[in-house]
Amino acid sequence: MSDWFTKSFGNDYLIVYKHRDYEGAYREVKRMIDWLQLPQGAKVLDLCCGMGRHSLALDECGYNVTGVDLSDVLLHEARRKDETSRVRWVKGDMRNVPIEESFDAVVNLFTSFGYFNEDEENAKVFREMDRLLKPGGKFIIDFLNPDVVAAALVPESQRNEGRLTIRESRRIEEDYVRKRITISEPGQTERYYEEQVKLYRPEQFRHFMAETNLTIGQLYGGYDASAYHPASSPRSIYVGYKKG
């Protein structure tokens, strides 16, 4: 599972997750604007931007946006959607972003954290966010709620997308939520992908950030800005800033 993301974020990802819409991303960004409190033209880095849904919405709201992702396929889709090349798209690993400039805000959205096998590798993401932020810069990390995920896990599901049958199996294992996606298509060899996310809780986020200049200001349970409750909140959304 050490490099599962190099295989999983390919062409089939665009089919499996086609339900992730741009209107939803725009609604989430409207809430982020309230949290970030940044002026028009502020420089925002979308770390793990995927197919660019939030990056494009941030651009429409008047920010100067850079999207970073490791997947060539998802970056190609982002560029295709960005018809007037408004956003700067950069290929890079979130542990070692190939950018030297500083940003007014860094956002890491839709559970794009906890991918790696070792805590130290995941901790590198916070150090990169620290490096990339200006002193006083803001950050948002939109993560799953580990307790709700563990309690409500659906072990098996199946659905159809045109000629494709998509089967998803999920399990909690070694404090990771792991998913196996199997895709069947008539006349084709069955193909599968693995995904995993470490079930980090707020105290672990704070531990990681204690080694950086990052400070959590607010912890929300969803984009409605509700308070975070471990037993019931749909998300855990960390909003904070870089000291200095």
Side-chain angles (χ1 to χ4, degrees):
M1 294 289 288
S2 61
D3 60 351
W4 62 267
F5 44 86
T6 62
K7 177 183 178 183
S8 290
F9 295 123
N11 288 309
D12 281 329
Y13 180 92
L14 299 175
I15 300 170
V16 173
Y17 293 104
K18 65 182 296 184
H19 57 281
R20 294 182 177 176
D21 64 286
Y22 286 80
E23 288 184 10
Y26 187 79
R27 288 193 299 270
E28 291 163 0
V29 164
K30 292 294 284 185
R31 175 61 75 178
M32 286 184 229
I33 291 171
D34 294 337
W35 292 339
L36 293 173
Q37 291 292 301
L38 293 174
Q40 294 281 297
K43 294 172 59 179
V44 178
L45 175 66
D46 185 359
L47 186 60
C48 303
C49 64
M51 61 188 80
R53 295 182 306 131
H54 293 94
S55 295
L56 291 169
L58 285 162
D59 171 80
E60 287 184 19
C61 291
Y63 297 124
N64 180 353
V65 182
T66 298
V68 173
D69 204 272
L70 189 61
S71 167
D72 288 318
V73 169
L74 298 189
L75 285 173
H76 176 79
E77 180 67 8
R79 292 187 179 100
R80 188 181 71 83
K81 292 287 187 180
D82 184 12
E83 296 176 352
T84 56
S85 301
R86 306 188 310 268
V87 175
R88 177 175 60 157
W89 306 104
V90 177
K91 180 176 180 178
D93 189 308
M94 60 178 151
R95 295 166 293 182
N96 186 22
V97 179
I99 296 175
E100 295 302 323
E101 66 196 84
S102 297
F103 294 83
D104 298 297
V106 175
V107 298
N108 176 258
L109 308 172
F110 221 90
T111 310
S112 298
F113 177 75
Y115 288 0
F116 308 113
N117 286 340
E118 302 297 331
D119 288 344
E120 170 58 23
E121 293 302 299
N122 289 309
K124 287 179 180 178
V125 180
F126 291 105
R127 293 200 286 271
E128 277 297 88
M129 292 177 71
D130 186 1
R131 179 182 69 83
L132 290 161
L133 275 173
K134 297 177 181 178
K138 310 290 185 60
F139 69 83
I140 297 174
I141 302 170
D142 169 20
F143 195 63
L144 52 73
N145 179 345
D147 294 306
V148 166
V149 166
L153 191 74
V154 177
E156 301 282 344
S157 62
Q158 179 173 309
R159 56 193 166 92
N160 294 318
E161 291 287 351
R163 288 163 46 87
L164 303 182
T165 298
I166 301 171
R167 301 194 304 277
E168 296 173 281
S169 62
R170 306 167 186 86
R171 64 197 185 278
I172 304 295
E173 194 173 68
E174 300 171 336
D175 213 24
Y176 287 87
V177 57
R178 289 182 169 139
K179 180 192 290 188
R180 183 182 179 94
I181 302 168
T182 304
I183 299 178
S184 303
E185 184 176 4
Q188 300 292 326
T189 303
E190 198 170 70
R191 51 196 187 269
Y192 69 91
Y193 304 91
E194 301 281 355
E195 298 178 3
Q196 75 170 21
V197 173
K198 184 74 174 282
L199 295 176
Y200 287 122
R201 290 166 174 80
E203 59 270 20
Q204 293 162 307
F205 273 78
R206 293 187 178 95
H207 173 74
F208 284 140
M209 290 189 195
E211 300 178 357
T212 71
N213 294 301
L214 305 179
T215 297
I216 299 169
Q218 299 288 338
L219 174 55
Y220 297 110
Y223 279 100
D224 60 356
S226 58
Y228 173 75
H229 296 290
S232 60
S233 293
R235 309 291 298 168
S236 53
I237 303 177
Y238 301 83
V239 180
Y241 61 94
K242 177 177 176 176
K243 290 177 285 188

